[in-house]
Amino acid sequence: MHKMRPLCNSLSLLFPRTRRRAAEPWSKCISNSWAFNAAAGPADLNRFVARTKTCGELRSSHVGQEVTLCGWIQYQRQGQFVVLRDFQGLTQIIISQDEAASHLKKVLCDTPVESVVRVTGKVVSRPPGQANPRMPTGEIEVKAETVEVLNACKKLPFEMKDFIKKSEALRMQYRYLDLRSAELQHNLRLRSQMVMRMREYLCNCYGFVDVETPTLFKKTPGGAKEFVVASREPGKFYSLPQSPQQFKQLLMVGGLDRYFQVARCYRDEGSKPDRQPEFTQIDIEMSFVDQAGIRVLIEGLLQYSWPEEKGSLETPFPSISYIEALATYGTDKPDTRFGMKIVDISDVFRNVKAGFLQKSLNEPEGTVKAICIPQGARHLQKKDLESLNELAKSQFNQAIFHFILRSDGSVKSQLSKYLNEEQKLELIRTVQANTEDLVLVAAGGHKKVCSTLGKVRLVSADLLEERGMPLRDSSAFHFLWVVDFPLFLSKEENPDELESAHHPFTAPLPSDEHLLYTDPAKVQGQHYDLVLNGSEVGGGSIRIHNAKQQRFILESVLKEDSELLSHLLEALDSGAPPHGGIALGLDRLICLIVGAPSIRDVIAFPKSFKGRDLMSNAPDYVAPEELEPYHIQVTWPSAQAEASAN
């Protein structure tokens, strides 16, 4: 490692952090901010190509120079000038009104917007009073001398202007056009910069080895549903990996010590705003490491690669146990940018003479809990309370009750008749309610009550912000480690059976190993998640490196066929070092950093909500003769068969 540090220090001169503005109109896009640093000079963006300058780099210091620009016609103005755009910005091209320039004027004015042209001309200062301070190139313009239309543009399905609203389906159908937007250009370039910095940190500063692992693999027990890929062997299929989990463990057995990869992963499940059937993760594994070492590594990685304009990251990140996260926030991925924490008020209701409350308190792990919504009585209406109640019933089969603290100090609630004045005051003190606050109460089993109030907490925050009450700072980034997860959870469809809370390769806490053989449901695992603003952006664990323990968990606890993992079990029995790792969800991380509503806005060619590529219409049909080498026949659903026949 010590030998790597001088290399890291010298490379930092070549690859330091770069500033990047938030997505803005093209007129405000960056010019030379993709330069690596002032000492090394700006990146040479004009070498190897047919231009001498980009559309975003010209300044008053270039006045008098002859330049060649290539780009798209963004705007035309009454035969006086056009605005040329490329990936870096905009330049105004002035058109001479002399008769000798009539041909040039005709070409620039008659060529459709979004056509690709090459313009050669002289850089001149704009006339007094005509400078545009909103454009980095606003002090100059280029007086065109020659122009060449490289490719004329047909009529497009939508205008290439950021303020024009387009449906997401239309944007995805014409993704190659949508990519021209300032927002996507910014997102993809910021993503590229962060990945470059991560590679530098891991490989050059700490000696990690970048290894590409196979995409064609075999089915993995448990976890998400996998895509299958046909082979030419009858009845045999590959699976696309959910992650390189087994491969990175095998690399540790192979003695590579430190591995990382910008890995493509696949899951055959419906898309959500923060999920895609194919996605990218920063995959990391180390030998002879513990949980603390992984956490310090990741905190340093994020600090090193973090965009400077987003502010600095303070480390170490705070941590919270799984049990505490569920009890306080109702979820294992808490958004800690705002309060409204869950409060246990069981003692307040312990002696309240209401049968349904006493029944709830007498349940196993029975409890009464509440959240206090600041100024909820002012901002939330009756229909909002009905909506929250319906949410609790439909998703959790849980009733919620409300208390409103009026300006005169009185309390309004469906439960008021069951409470005396002292109990009401105790409730207000316990939840720390103020005038015009709204208190939502749920009673029942601990986990269900907490999960209900956790969801209601987030929805209430959305409602308050819609009504103009700021709760969550969109410019704040609150990282949080969630630790001490249970190693196993009860299956929803069969509570008597267990499944892995993370994956079957996670090691138990050493202090809980004995419980594996007597009461596995009580075992805690060495699993850790990294949460940012209420979204999981990373997850990892210390792995099982003992073949006997791994086999026992697969066969006796999870009831899985260990033969599917015979290669891994054999490797663990061949001198496997202790090891652990983590994977960061790159798409989700970048999405949160840039404030995009969906990870589809930080992926060049994403899939739709249903997992389709609307641009190429994939997936598509394959002719029967093309399936023959794979020994596959398609059985059509009857309704579709009738429609095809017609």
Side-chain angles (χ1 to χ4, degrees):
M1 184 191 300
H2 296 294
K3 292 181 179 179
M4 296 301 298
R5 284 174 182 161
L7 175 60
C8 175
N9 293 336
S10 61
L11 283 171
S12 67
L13 297 176
L14 297 176
F15 304 108
R17 299 190 188 190
T18 55
R19 289 190 174 274
R20 185 62 171 94
R21 297 181 184 179
E24 294 175 330
W26 276 110
S27 61
K28 291 187 177 181
C29 278
I30 54 163
S31 54
N32 284 328
S33 58
W34 290 110
F36 289 125
N37 71 8
D44 190 347
L45 302 174
N46 302 309
R47 196 173 180 186
F48 318 119
V49 293
R51 62 173 179 255
T52 63
K53 297 292 182 183
T54 67
C55 293
E57 67 177 296
L58 294 176
R59 301 291 187 270
S60 56
S61 60
H62 296 102
V63 168
Q65 294 184 16
E66 184 173 272
V67 297
T68 297
L69 308 178
C70 296
W72 288 261
I73 296 177
Q74 166 111 348
Y75 181 71
Q76 296 163 320
R77 177 67 182 267
Q78 298 176 346
Q80 302 292 318
F81 64 86
V82 300
V83 174
L84 200 63
R85 182 194 76 240
D86 67 7
F87 70 95
Q88 208 183 32
L90 306 170
T91 295
Q92 183 167 291
I93 309 297
I94 195 73
I95 304 172
S96 174
Q97 302 302 305
D98 295 343
E99 184 64 28
S102 60
H103 172 70
L104 185 147
K105 179 178 181 179
K106 178 175 176 59
V107 171
L108 284 175
C109 295
D110 292 351
T111 301
V113 169
E114 289 302 310
S115 295
V116 184
V117 299
R118 179 166 55 218
V119 176
T120 298
K122 184 170 290 188
V123 181
V124 297
S125 296
R126 293 199 187 191
Q130 293 187 22
N132 185 348
R134 294 176 299 173
M135 289 176 63
T137 61
E139 293 183 354
I140 59 89
E141 55 195 8
V142 174
K143 188 174 183 181
E145 295 174 356
T146 65
V147 61
E148 179 184 358
V149 179
L150 301 177
N151 203 336
C153 183
K154 67 176 185 178
K155 183 175 176 58
L156 299 179
F158 51 80
E159 290 187 72
M160 299 304 304
K161 296 176 180 176
D162 290 334
F163 60 83
I164 298 292
K165 298 294 183 183
K166 288 90 66 176
S167 70
E168 188 173 49
L170 188 65
R171 291 175 57 204
M172 295 182 68
Q173 183 180 354
Y174 298 96
R175 190 63 167 186
Y176 48 87
L177 296 178
D178 197 38
L179 285 169
R180 297 179 188 176
S181 70
E183 178 185 3
L184 286 184
Q185 288 275 327
H186 165 251
N187 293 351
L188 294 178
R189 293 177 189 279
L190 183 142
R191 178 180 176 134
S192 172
Q193 288 285 305
M194 286 197 67
V195 170
M196 181 272 290
R197 296 284 294 175
M198 288 178 175
R199 285 186 187 277
E200 179 191 340
Y201 180 84
L202 292 170
C203 293
N204 298 333
C205 295
Y206 291 106
F208 280 76
V209 183
D210 186 351
V211 180
E212 297 177 8
T213 54
T215 297
L216 296 176
F217 193 41
K218 65 182 294 184
K219 178 177 173 58
T220 302
K225 192 173 181 181
E226 296 171 334
F227 288 99
V228 295
V229 180
S231 77
R232 291 178 181 266
E233 295 187 52
K236 292 187 177 181
F237 296 83
Y238 298 103
S239 285
L240 300 182
Q242 304 171 37
S243 78
Q245 180 62 44
Q246 293 182 55
F247 289 114
K248 63 182 182 179
Q249 290 191 242
L250 293 170
L251 288 170
M252 297 303 102
V253 178
L256 259 75
D257 191 70
R258 296 180 172 204
Y259 143 93
F260 107 97
Q261 180 184 185
V262 182
R264 296 294 286 170
C265 306
Y266 307 87
R267 290 179 182 171
D268 187 8
E269 52 190 23
S271 285
K272 299 177 182 179
D274 61 348
R275 190 167 293 177
Q276 285 270 290
E278 53 180 331
F279 55 97
T280 305
Q281 63 186 35
I282 305 298
D283 203 48
I284 293 171
E285 197 80 5
M286 298 174 70
S287 296
F288 311 108
V289 71
D290 60 11
Q291 181 180 155
I294 294 289
R295 285 164 58 175
V296 171
L297 170 76
I298 295 304
E299 290 169 358
L301 174 70
L302 289 170
Q303 272 190 319
Y304 192 87
S305 60
W306 195 253
E308 287 187 0
E309 74 277 8
K310 297 298 180 180
S312 60
L313 293 182
E314 293 188 9
T315 58
F317 299 155
S319 66
I320 189 173
S321 71
Y322 169 82
I323 292 174
E324 185 183 354
L326 185 64
T328 308
Y329 298 99
T331 176
D332 60 1
K333 41 183 182 291
D335 188 343
T336 57
R337 289 175 296 171
F338 69 108
M340 290 170 55
K341 296 179 181 180
I342 298 171
V343 179
D344 193 323
I345 55 172
S346 299
D347 289 344
V348 177
F349 288 88
R350 192 77 62 188
N351 298 316
V352 171
K353 295 180 179 180
F356 65 95
L357 288 174
Q358 294 307 314
K359 181 181 177 182
S360 296
L361 285 169
N362 290 328
E363 289 181 13
E365 297 188 342
T367 186
V368 182
K369 295 182 181 290
I371 58 172
C372 180
I373 302 175
Q375 298 297 293
R378 175 185 296 180
H379 295 288
L380 300 186
Q381 304 170 2
K382 182 180 179 180
K383 64 177 182 179
D384 297 319
L385 298 179
E386 293 172 351
S387 176
L388 292 173
N389 203 27
E390 180 57 34
L391 170 72
K393 286 183 179 179
S394 62
Q395 292 194 20
F396 302 96
N397 191 29
Q398 175 71 54
I400 56 174
F401 306 93
H402 66 266
F403 288 81
I404 296 174
L405 184 57
R406 292 167 166 163
S407 56
D408 61 3
S410 63
V411 176
K412 177 184 177 183
S413 172
Q414 311 106 303
L415 301 180
S416 289
K417 60 184 178 181
Y418 300 108
L419 301 176
N420 58 39
E421 288 304 311
E422 183 180 344
Q423 289 168 330
K424 291 177 183 178
L425 289 174
E426 181 62 23
L427 171 64
I428 292 170
R429 283 195 298 268
T430 303
V431 300
Q432 298 181 355
N434 295 307
T435 302
E436 295 194 324
D437 284 355
L438 173 68
V439 179
L440 298 180
V441 175
H446 172 78
K447 186 172 182 180
K448 187 168 77 165
V449 164
C450 289
S451 297
T452 302
L453 291 177
K455 181 66 175 180
V456 168
R457 171 180 180 264
L458 294 175
V459 174
S460 299
D462 290 338
L463 291 171
L464 289 177
E465 290 180 336
E466 287 175 7
R467 310 289 157 76
M469 181 178 175
L471 277 181
R472 295 166 290 194
D473 183 354
S474 60
S475 65
F477 297 95
H478 286 210
F479 283 96
L480 177 71
W481 289 106
V482 181
V483 299
D484 298 336
F485 283 81
L487 189 59
F488 308 109
L489 297 172
S490 297
K491 291 183 177 179
E492 286 188 15
E493 64 276 13
N494 188 352
D496 293 331
E497 295 183 5
L498 296 176
E499 61 184 359
S500 296
H502 187 212
H503 58 51
F505 313 114
T506 298
L509 285 176
S511 59
D512 286 357
E513 284 187 5
H514 66 284
L515 294 173
L516 276 175
Y517 310 99
T518 57
D519 197 351
K522 292 183 178 179
V523 177
Q524 285 190 332
Q526 297 188 65
H527 169 201
Y528 34 85
D529 278 352
L530 182 60
V531 175
L532 172 59
N533 294 354
S535 292
E536 180 188 335
V537 293
S541 66
I542 303 303
R543 323 300 184 187
I544 299 169
H545 67 279
N546 178 283
K548 183 179 178 180
Q549 186 179 89
Q550 182 68 82
R551 187 184 298 276
F552 177 82
I553 286 176
L554 288 169
E555 295 178 352
S556 302
V557 179
L558 300 177
K559 314 299 182 185
E560 297 281 2
D561 182 4
S562 65
E563 283 303 306
L564 291 170
L565 293 167
S566 59
H567 56 284
L568 179 63
L569 292 169
E570 188 172 335
L572 295 180
D573 219 10
S574 304
H579 57 281
I582 192 169
L584 298 178
L586 181 62
D587 307 310
R588 197 175 305 178
L589 177 63
I590 301 297
C591 178
L592 292 169
I593 290 173
V594 301
S598 164
I599 62 172
R600 290 186 282 272
D601 292 316
V602 300
I603 300 172
F605 297 100
K607 300 294 187 292
S608 72
F609 186 78
K610 294 183 178 180
R612 294 190 59 83
D613 181 346
L614 301 182
M615 182 180 65
S616 66
N617 199 34
D620 206 349
Y621 298 105
V622 176
E625 57 269 22
E626 294 182 63
L627 294 176
E628 285 182 10
Y630 303 105
H631 315 283
I632 293 176
Q633 289 182 331
V634 177
T635 302
W636 297 99
S638 57
Q640 188 169 350
E642 292 175 7
S644 300
N646 295 332

